[in-house]
Amino acid sequence: MDRITIRKPDDWHLHVRDNDMLRAALPHTAKNFGRAILMPNLVPPVCTSAEAAAYRTRAMAVLPEGSTFKPLMTCYLTDATDPDDVERGFKDGIFTGVKLYPANATTNSAAGVTDYKKIEPVLARMEKIGMRFLMHAEEVDPAVDVFDREAVFLERRLTPWLKSFPGLKFIVEHLSSKIGVEFVRAHAPQVGASITPYHLQLNRTDWLGWGNRPYMYCMPVIKSEADRLALRDAATTGDVCFFLGTDSAPHAVAKKLAVVGAAGLFNAPVAIETYAQVFDEEGKLENLEAFASLNGPRHYNMAPNEETITLARESWIAPEEIKVVGPEERALIYRGGETIPWKVVG
Ligand code: DOR
Ligand code: ZN
């Protein structure tokens, strides 16, 4: 198969930041995707429905003319989130879901949850109104090894919630481990998971085995080859519980290369092409549409996009970086300079 037409994909996990970076980053997603869930970990975070409505307006304002792209908004969960505001935002069509960041788990998560007891009223309300719960599913207890954070979170936090909130639908964001794949399969359809391009392509030897490569550093961290293979199998079988979420997360070069470097890779300019390559390598191109365009809407109880895109086996070289007006200057692109074997041609 050298050419494939699929319904327009959606990105169920995307960071585009704000201001200058938003202007530079969002058009790369709007080009090929119908919708994307914009993550709320701005500085300061998007915690209320009013803040989310304002952020959505800023996002719409940077879209190219005539774009049909639709940003979907999330509420940044804190110990103090008001269930009434969450419900109002959901019913008014502002919030698509609520996003959990355990405090200090990743970039801009300092305002995240510290006391899981305090968020139970929000979870109960979401269960009642049919709203989705998106989780940065990592345990931040310092006693837990960074490679085990996902597995421990699933056991320690998510397992009890599945019983306490049986009507609530969960999303394990950026699924990164074999244990996680098995967990999601066992608990579908209550649980779904988004999978990034880089967790499908990289293992920790790529990241650390030949020099430290800060542009492979993200949270959850890249794991072993066995984990990568389990994720490739999960994504490419077309199982309804797994769907596309790039976690594309641009950072200024200076932040990536600092003594304490920022987690996150900017993959939007090569995202759908990279997924297509992975599905092709696995001989599963026929399942790309399910993963990229059907399973996500189904988990969110939305209709799939009507528009289509066409990908062809046609090589091109990924640009190295995007320029950002203002102090952030530029952000490097995941796979920049590499030959990409699939191209969006229509
Ligand atoms: O690597 C990551 N970067 N993981 C996250 O969870 C957040 C993201 C970011 O915002 O940069
Ligand atoms: Zn993310």
Side-chain angles (χ1 to χ4, degrees), residues 13 15 17 39 41 99 101 105-108 136 138 174 198 217-220 247-251 256 262-265:
H13 185 127
H15 302 265
R17 320 301 186 196
M39 288 294 140
N41 61 333
K99 175 71 192 277
Y101 288 101
T106 184
T107 307
N108 303 341
H136 185 106
E138 290 202 289
H174 35 53
Y198 45 81
Y217 174 58
C218 55
M219 285 288 183
D247 198 19
S248 178
H251 287 283
K256 284 297 291 175
L265 314 179

Side-chain angles (χ1 to χ4, degrees), residues 77-83 111-113 118-119 122:
L77 185 61
T78 72
D79 290 356
T81 298
D82 172 9
V113 172
K118 292 199 174 138
I119 63 168
V122 180

Side-chain angles (χ1 to χ4, degrees), residues 44-100:
V46 179
C47 293
T48 66
S49 56
E51 287 160 0
Y55 184 34
R56 182 169 64 183
T57 303
R58 297 199 296 282
M60 302 285 289
V62 307
L63 292 176
E65 245 191 75
S67 172
T68 55
F69 174 82
K70 191 167 172 220
L72 304 175
M73 313 311 289
T74 44
C75 168
Y76 185 114
L77 185 61
T78 72
D79 290 356
T81 298
D82 172 9
D84 290 337
D85 182 59
V86 168
E87 177 166 354
R88 200 162 40 239
F90 183 62
K91 294 203 163 149
D92 288 350
I94 298 165
F95 286 144
T96 294
V98 171
K99 175 71 192 277
L100 163 71

Side-chain angles (χ1 to χ4, degrees), residues 204-216:
R204 62 195 182 193
T205 306
D206 298 319
W207 168 31
L208 298 168
W210 326 104
N212 171 26
R213 295 179 185 257
Y215 277 87
M216 295 183 183

